[in-house]
Amino acid sequence: MSFGDPNNPYGQPGQPQQPPPQQPQGQPGYGYPQQAPQGVPPQQGYGYPQQGAQQPGQPYGAYPQQPPGTLQANSGYINVPVLGTVQVATMGRRFAARLIDAVIIWVLYFILSAVGLAGAFGAAEGMEDCTNLDPLSSAYESCVNDQAEAAGGMVAAFLGVILIFFVATLLYEWLMIAFLGATVGKLALGLKVVKENTGQVPGIGGGFIRWIIPMAGALLCGIGQLLVYLSPFFDNSGKLQGWHDRASGTLVIKK
């Protein structure tokens, strides 16, 4: 009776010992992870795709921040310095805010016009009738001078109304946008005008540029002003910037 090989752990007699199977080189197996050959970059495993390098202080798994001024896939949101991701104001809201401002300005205009007309009528009532006086007399000459002064007062009253209206509109549109970033209409609709590259209010210079361009267009019978206010529709960048916004570097956002 013969016994098997004593080195055979299974103790099966008459069967030659089989060598362990060789692991094919370059194929991953079970156990410890295989290292990639030198000079070959490691392959990315399964899971979510990497979105970019992790920034210091950025939460794990967060997407990297986009540069300022980047419109997010025409979604109506844009990155603005200091403010972060904000929503661009829609033309519907901007039009409603403009209507509120127009009502306020026209109410002011009617009040000033009423005051000016009252002064003009008062000056007209003080005009004397010179038709019954002798044209060669000193009384006639004095009456004519009084009529000229009254007519000058009427013209001055109308010019004063126009000047006050212009100054009031200037202060309303210019200074409120410059220091607050919004007029009464924009405040009511939750809108704000900011500098695109800083996120701050436009300031004196930016507010004046943004105001003067529509006013210059108003000299063309108001057609130019209307085109300026409609110009955001022509902006193909998706930021809805009008010509006055582009010139002043501003952006109208929703707060």
Side-chain angles (χ1 to χ4, degrees), residues 11-26:
Q12 297 294 331
Q15 295 183 358
Q17 183 178 1
Q18 298 292 333
Q22 296 292 330
Q23 181 71 25
Q25 186 176 2

Side-chain angles (χ1 to χ4, degrees), residues 40 49 54 66 82 97-98 123 131 139 143 146 169 175 239:
V40 179
Q54 191 76 18
Q66 294 179 335
V82 180
R98 180 62 59 183
T131 57
C143 180
D146 291 341
T169 306
L175 296 184
K239 301 176 184 179

